Amino acid sequence: MTVHSLPLPSVPSSATPLRGFWDAVQQHQSAAIADCATSLCRGLDGMWKAQAHTVQAVAQRHAAIAEKLKGPCTPCDLVALQTEWLQFGMESAVQ
């Protein structure tokens, strides 16, 4: 049994076409990475806006409860405020 070997393709002395190919690949990869980074930043921006909205709502709720606690309160009022606070916390967690 004889093994036939195929001739190797000749490699040009100047690798200009190959270099152009790799430049195009690097440019394409850089563009893809930039697109991914843009998407990541937009997603983070959306999360931060949602968190900021939630923090503002919680701050307003705490301020309202603090105002109620500054006035005269009975033990039943304190339990009602704690229940309101707990309910708000649960609603915020679900959203």
Side-chain angles (χ1 to χ4, degrees):
M1 178 174 190
T2 60
V3 177
H4 299 283
S5 63
L6 297 173
L8 293 173
S10 62
V11 177
S13 61
S14 66
T16 307
L18 191 58
R19 182 173 182 186
F21 169 76
W22 285 114
D23 288 344
V25 168
Q26 287 175 345
Q27 181 181 3
H28 180 69
Q29 287 178 339
S30 296
I33 290 169
D35 284 341
C36 289
T38 301
S39 297
L40 178 67
C41 289
R42 286 185 181 154
L44 289 173
D45 184 46
M47 287 179 11
W48 288 335
K49 286 180 182 176
Q51 286 177 344
H53 176 70
T54 302
V55 167
Q56 288 175 351
V58 169
Q60 290 173 354
R61 177 64 72 164
H62 285 184
I65 290 175
E67 287 299 318
K68 289 180 183 178
L69 288 172
K70 288 179 183 176
C73 294
T74 65
C76 289
D77 292 336
L78 293 176
V79 171
L81 285 173
Q82 286 179 339
T83 304
E84 182 182 337
W85 207 339
L86 180 62
Q87 181 181 3
F88 177 73
M90 293 296 181
E91 288 173 358
S92 296
V94 171
Q95 292 177 356

